[in-house]
Amino acid sequence: MQYEKEREEAEISLDPDVENLFEDVLATRDSPENFPAKTEADLEWDGLRHHVLTHVVTDEGFELVSALGPLRSQTQAALRLRQVAEYMAVLAGDEEAPLRGARDIRNAVEYAEREGVLTGEELDAVGRTCDVASRVRRFFKHRAEIAPQLWALAQRMDPCQAIRETLQLALEPGGRLSDHASPDLRRLRREVQNQTERIKARVEKLLRSEEMETRLQDDYFTMREDRYVLPLRVSAKRQVDGIIHGYSSSGQTAYVEPAELIELNNELRWTQIEVEQEERRVLTRLSALIAEHADALRANSKIIAYLDLTQALGRFSVDIDATIPELSHVIELRAARHPMLYLKLKRTGVQTVPNDIHMDEGRTVLIVSGPNTGGKTVLLKTLGITALMIQAGLPVACAEGSKFPFLAKVFTDIGDEQSIERDLSTFSGHLVNINGFLEVCDAETLVILDELFAGTDPHQGTVLAVALLEEFARRGTRTFISTHLEGMKTLALDDSRFMNASMGFDIASLQPTYELTLGVPGSSFALRIADRLGFPQDLVARATELLEGEGKLSVDQVLARLEDQATDLRKEQRRYEQLRVEAEKAKKRADDRYHELRRQERELLHEESKALKSRLDGAKDVLREYLKSLSQQETVT
């Protein structure tokens, strides 16, 4: 009755969107959906995927994670985010779906359908997978409230009760047919055991006989061609009536089957053949049972693989302290971190510097400037891999309340594009790469350009970069770039579609702070760094004169002062944040003390109330006794 109820539950249909996502994800095993090759390489998607792979527990789940890539739509991304969030909620309870033990049974099921006879090991794999399906189904049924979508998938699995019960009876661990597989098998195996014991007793007797003492090479028996034989000296092989089954590698020993063992060996072999035939009949029967339930077994395997993918994504998300972003037209990342850098530093006990990144819907181009090694490229890669994670439906390494759009296309131009084979300079290589995706860019595209056109004449590189960024802005393409070109830093002053940002640098320590300041362009600090590092004063002075002659020094000085002010503001902000945290702790301690005093007060009042009630009950008892005695006196009178 319970089995029928489970089967009835399993027939509940999925939401069409969930069904489409499920089928599309399974289809990626044969035809993976990939990001552009350069995008994957620049943003190190393989590294992220490799880390997710460390969490899979099934072969089929491994295939799905290996094909992890972009989903077809924002709807699918939102659904996967919800499913991964559900599994993260399961993990928060220190629980884990019992997916371990499932095997890849696709070939075995297909072979059984073609009336093939499966081996005991293959049947054991099917049985183990059925056990996993039953356990996983039960697991998510008990957690349907916190993981409704995962339960909706798990409930479609067939518990395969008939297969499980049959295989549990018929197979021993490892796949050997048990004696309970059939009555004839049990009887025949017992006969084999009895015959073996009779032969061994006869052989032992021969080994101890005086006539064999001088003929034996060693005092043991062995098997040749499934028959019991004695090791005789080659010189004595004709002295024993029997059949020679071979010689040792040294040629000193002949393996002889004595005549008195021939009939016993024949009887044993005949019985062994009957056992093999009976085992074949049992395996044929069990294989037919598998073929009968082939569709259910295949469906179970698919769902287990999908749930394995989901749990791997959930565990990875916990590793990087990820949250579920709101899919929105605006970009508002709170405490954003690069997931792989975060994991790398986490292993060494170093904290990653998080950054808040906010861009209103009308702004589409972010221009990041600042000193070398200041974190500009890491920031761009953080934004890029966040876009890929959203596209693949993964939680992102940001704080709660983050927002990010689902962008269908992500293109990058990071690193040195120089190519000797193609006779391309660095500048030419960048142009060829950008030209390869420029025409397909639209409002659903993200483009990341690191050190745009840095490999050519600064003035011409600047005007070409401005023209390109204006084109991206016209198309509504989200564009994040890093640059040292001064002419790029003034774009946001005249065009609301552009936005400046700078990476912090501590001149006193000559160390980057890796902190992002929005709305302000950054200085490269080249002259100040040269001065701090002891570069000859006369050379620094001459460089300053040259900048003054070009009218550029004042801009750099303004940017430097702004950076100093931003640094001071960040320090002050951290101080106030520390004060806020301490104030909250003090308030919590005060609240805890207040609640403790209230609790003690309630307990005291409760104890006093109990004491008063006890005294009142006692007084009532005394009054009742007194009234009772008065009543008795009146009766006597």
Side-chain angles (χ1 to χ4, degrees), residues 95-368:
E95 298 177 307
E96 195 169 310
L99 293 160
R100 296 182 185 276
R103 302 289 190 267
D104 186 352
I105 60 172
R106 287 171 292 181
N107 291 338
V109 171
E110 183 182 348
Y111 187 55
E113 275 192 302
R114 298 201 308 266
E115 299 184 358
V117 179
L118 303 180
T119 65
E121 290 79 6
E122 290 171 325
L123 290 166
D124 182 60
V126 172
R128 288 174 181 271
T129 304
C130 288
D131 289 339
V132 169
S134 178
R135 290 196 302 270
V136 169
R137 191 181 192 282
R138 195 160 51 247
F139 177 88
F140 283 108
K141 181 178 182 180
H142 294 153
R143 291 155 185 82
E145 188 172 337
I146 63 172
Q149 278 208 16
L150 299 184
W151 163 234
L153 283 166
Q155 72 178 346
R156 301 181 74 193
M157 288 194 288
D158 188 334
C160 292
Q161 190 71 14
I163 293 178
R164 288 163 53 215
E165 290 179 353
T166 301
L167 294 181
Q168 285 172 2
L169 181 68
L171 296 175
E172 296 176 354
R176 180 180 182 272
L177 287 175
S178 74
D179 291 344
H180 303 291
S182 79
D184 286 342
L185 184 59
R186 185 186 312 134
R187 174 181 58 78
L188 290 169
R189 283 180 173 175
R190 191 173 295 119
E191 286 184 22
V192 167
Q193 183 178 354
N194 293 337
Q195 290 169 358
T196 300
E197 289 174 356
R198 285 200 299 272
I199 293 175
K200 286 182 178 180
R202 183 68 61 87
V203 170
E204 291 288 351
K205 184 176 179 181
L206 285 172
L207 290 173
R208 292 193 300 270
S209 65
E210 292 182 4
E211 61 179 331
M212 285 291 182
E213 186 175 350
T214 58
R215 301 169 182 171
L216 289 169
Q217 182 74 359
D218 291 292
D219 57 348
Y220 67 87
F221 63 87
T222 186
M223 302 285 293
R224 283 293 184 275
E225 300 173 356
D226 294 327
R227 303 178 77 84
Y228 286 87
V229 297
L230 298 178
L232 302 181
R233 292 188 176 91
V234 171
S235 59
K237 65 181 181 181
R238 300 298 182 189
Q239 298 175 17
V240 176
D241 187 20
I243 300 172
I244 299 174
H245 285 274
Y247 298 89
S248 65
S249 57
S250 65
Q252 301 300 310
T253 304
Y255 298 105
V256 178
E257 178 184 10
E260 58 187 289
L261 294 182
I262 292 176
E263 187 58 32
L264 290 174
N265 273 329
N266 286 343
E267 291 178 1
L268 174 61
R269 187 63 195 130
W270 291 331
T271 308
Q272 287 174 334
I273 291 172
E274 288 186 87
V275 168
E276 293 169 1
Q277 290 175 338
E278 180 59 21
E279 288 177 343
R280 179 77 176 181
R281 280 192 289 271
V282 172
L283 292 174
T284 300
R285 173 173 57 83
L286 295 176
S287 298
L289 179 64
I290 302 305
E292 182 183 342
H293 294 82
D295 289 341
L297 291 170
R298 263 193 296 268
N300 286 357
S301 289
K302 289 179 180 179
I303 296 171
I304 289 172
Y306 187 91
L307 292 174
D308 191 18
L309 164 68
T310 306
Q311 71 85 21
L313 296 177
R315 291 173 65 188
F316 170 73
S317 299
V318 171
D319 288 346
I320 63 172
D321 293 330
T323 61
I324 309 300
E326 177 186 339
L327 301 185
S328 167
H329 289 297
V330 302
I331 292 175
E332 186 176 337
L333 298 180
R334 301 181 179 181
R337 294 160 277 112
H338 191 289
M340 304 316 295
L341 178 63
Y342 176 75
L343 286 175
K344 179 181 178 180
L345 295 180
K346 187 178 181 181
R347 287 192 289 268
T348 62
V350 178
Q351 288 191 338
T352 308
V353 178
N355 278 301
D356 294 337
I357 306 165
H358 174 77
M359 291 185 70
D360 294 328
E361 188 172 354
R363 297 185 183 272
T364 58
V365 181
L366 181 68
I367 302 170
V368 185

Side-chain angles (χ1 to χ4, degrees), residues 31 258 507 557:
S31 54
I507 287 294
Q557 287 174 335

Side-chain angles (χ1 to χ4, degrees), residues 585-601:
K585 289 180 180 178
K587 180 179 181 301
K588 186 178 184 305
R589 287 195 298 270
D591 288 344
D592 291 345
R593 179 59 179 161
Y594 171 76
H595 291 306
E596 176 63 20
L597 290 173
R598 288 295 305 273
R599 185 188 63 78
Q600 292 177 2
E601 182 182 22

